[in-house]
Amino acid sequence: MRMSRHPSRRPRVRARALAVIGMLIGGLVLALTGAFGRGSDDSVQARASPPSAVTASYYGVNSGLAFSSSPVTWDAAGAQIALLGVGTVRRDAFWSAVEPKPPIRGAHRYRWQATDELVAALAKSRLRWYPIVDYATNWAGVDGWESPPRAAYVADYAAFAGALARRYGRGGSFWRAHPQLPAMPIENYEIWNEPNFSHFWPEQSYAPERLAEMYLESQARIKKVDPTASVVLGGLVTEGVEGFLGRMVRARPRMLRGLEAVGFHPYGGGPDGGLQTTYANIRILRTALDRLFPGRSVPMEITETGWAVPPTPEAWRSARLQRLALELPRSNCNITRFIVFDWTSVASGASLSAGFGIASSDGVMTESALALKAAIASVLASGAAPRNEVKIC
């Protein structure tokens, strides 16, 4: 659902006060989640064990408009986001900005300055970038810069993914050139955004087949640089997700063993004020993955979800975001990340992202952000594996 904008131009150290607050509220908040009830029937069997320990990197936020203004403000923006307690910031890695001109005789010419400034701003606050590898350049795209690459340019797209890893991944040239920065290399690369939604991939007739090729080629390039990196299939929407994934597998059978993780955007909320729709959407993807990739329990990464205010009441949103932060790490769905949409956004208007921001343009947290912050602090302060598994799937 995120509307992309073309750019203009650890362990995590928690403050002692935040940890104390988390420990004080931890028991109360966890008790409250029991009052909310289970996401599904308690008879459902667990598919995967919860992570052995939850760290700040489990939690993240989409940056929204935080890094869309002048780079002189980016250090402050990173510091404001870090106060939320998250360790991950999801934002586009704009191929269109980094490589605006085609390669000459196979030689790529990348412009890294703006991306360097972003990564530096995040690293100063010990935040790790979770890049969405998108969108196509004018010379490679089907229809302009915000479109998938044509078949002839999939290799160039994959080369860009590999170049990101060489520069910002483990042992990357950026970190070697900036030894004064805390090293926060990219660990996860998300291949495209909402490829099964026509807004971000207008022509759906060939989308699964092209995306499978993009995923596998990009994965090969990234793994050549960093074998330990995780390559995530770009955040899918719920509608038609099993059919979309099935077509990917049929087009490229190597996906059966090659798919490492799936980003997912389970937007929704029950009409009675619960999270029934969100959890129902998660079950849809978990069921699809278990059918198509039997015996693997492919990890799910929630790379976007949230609610717009208005029309959603702020108190309603704050309670639900808090509950997600507490329950997703303990769920039986093998959910390995929770990234909220959105840090800042326009307050209203025609944009699909309007109203989703949980902080004001100057970084002041809303009630929703404060509730999320409290929940994250509670989980991280425990310093151990989450208990009392929540049976959602």
Side-chain angles (χ1 to χ4, degrees):
M1 186 167 294
R2 179 186 51 82
M3 288 291 289
S4 296
R5 292 173 58 90
H6 196 283
S8 56
R9 156 52 236 110
R10 164 151 31 167
R12 183 170 187 74
V13 180
R14 297 184 298 278
R16 291 181 180 178
L18 182 58
V20 171
I21 291 171
M23 288 184 284
L24 290 173
I25 67 172
L28 175 61
V29 175
L30 289 170
L32 287 174
T33 59
F36 278 120
R38 300 294 189 186
S40 63
D41 192 327
D42 282 352
S43 65
V44 177
Q45 296 299 308
R47 288 176 173 79
S49 299
S52 58
V54 177
T55 64
S57 65
Y58 183 93
Y59 297 104
V61 65
N62 285 268
S63 64
L65 302 179
F67 302 103
S68 60
S69 56
S70 170
V72 300
T73 68
W74 291 2
D75 286 359
Q80 290 161 352
I81 292 173
L83 294 175
L84 189 61
V86 300
T88 300
V89 174
R90 180 177 182 256
R91 188 178 187 269
D92 306 85
F94 288 103
W95 183 23
S96 55
V98 174
E99 193 177 17
K101 295 182 179 180
I104 296 177
R105 292 185 291 277
H108 294 274
R109 297 167 294 168
Y110 299 121
R111 299 179 179 179
W112 297 114
Q113 181 179 350
T115 313
D116 284 353
E117 291 171 331
L118 169 70
V119 174
L122 294 175
K124 289 173 185 176
S125 292
R126 297 188 179 275
L127 295 169
R128 197 179 306 277
W129 186 26
Y130 191 106
I132 319 161
V133 187
D134 59 17
Y135 288 99
T137 65
N138 284 321
W139 53 268
V142 173
D143 185 22
W145 73 271
E146 197 175 27
S147 67
R150 298 194 294 275
Y153 296 103
V154 168
D156 294 293
Y157 171 85
F160 172 60
L164 282 171
R166 284 194 304 275
R167 190 165 185 85
Y168 305 112
R170 292 178 179 88
S173 60
F174 174 82
W175 306 110
R176 296 196 303 272
H178 298 84
Q180 77 282 6
L181 291 174
M184 303 297 292
I186 298 174
E187 295 179 346
N188 306 85
Y189 300 79
E190 190 171 18
I191 305 302
W192 215 256
N193 175 66
E194 299 190 349
N196 60 334
F197 177 33
S198 60
H199 182 84
F200 294 106
W201 196 304
E203 181 50 67
Q204 287 287 301
S205 63
Y206 62 85
E209 293 78 13
R210 181 73 49 80
L211 182 64
E213 184 180 4
M214 290 164 57
Y215 180 86
L216 291 171
E217 289 206 25
S218 298
Q219 181 186 55
R221 294 286 192 128
I222 292 167
K223 295 288 191 180
K224 186 175 181 180
V225 177
D226 181 4
T228 65
S230 174
V231 183
V232 182
L233 184 65
L236 301 174
V237 299
T238 306
E239 186 175 359
V241 68
E242 183 166 357
F244 190 92
L245 287 167
R247 286 177 59 186
M248 291 185 71
V249 170
R250 288 191 295 274
R252 294 289 188 274
R254 281 194 297 129
M255 293 290 297
L256 281 172
R257 292 297 170 191
L259 182 62
E260 297 179 56
V262 175
F264 190 48
H265 301 170
Y267 286 99
D272 61 353
L275 288 172
Q276 288 82 358
T277 303
T278 302
Y279 285 171
N281 289 340
I282 289 172
R283 284 193 293 275
I284 287 170
L285 179 59
R286 183 74 270 158
T287 299
L289 290 174
D290 289 350
R291 286 174 180 163
L292 293 168
F293 306 88
R296 292 197 52 209
S297 190
V298 175
M300 300 166 58
E301 302 237 322
I302 306 302
T303 56
E304 281 187 30
T305 199
W307 292 268
V309 175
T312 307
E314 182 65 46
W316 192 101
R317 178 174 70 173
S318 65
R320 275 68 203 171
L321 286 177
Q322 186 175 73
R323 182 177 166 190
L324 285 172
L326 292 164
E327 292 190 348
L328 292 182
R330 299 187 290 129
S331 83
N332 64 331
C333 302
N334 196 15
I335 295 172
T336 50
R337 200 169 317 267
F338 172 42
I339 304 178
V340 174
F341 186 83
D342 200 7
W343 178 244
T344 55
S345 66
V346 294
S348 61
S351 168
L352 292 179
S353 63
F356 279 84
I358 61 171
S360 65
S361 59
D362 56 358
V364 176
M365 295 189 195
T366 63
E367 177 185 338
S368 292
L370 292 173
L372 181 63
K373 176 181 178 180
I376 293 171
S378 171
V379 173
L380 299 185
S382 69
R387 299 182 222 178
N388 304 321
E389 182 181 70
V390 179
K391 293 181 173 66
I392 297 172
C393 294

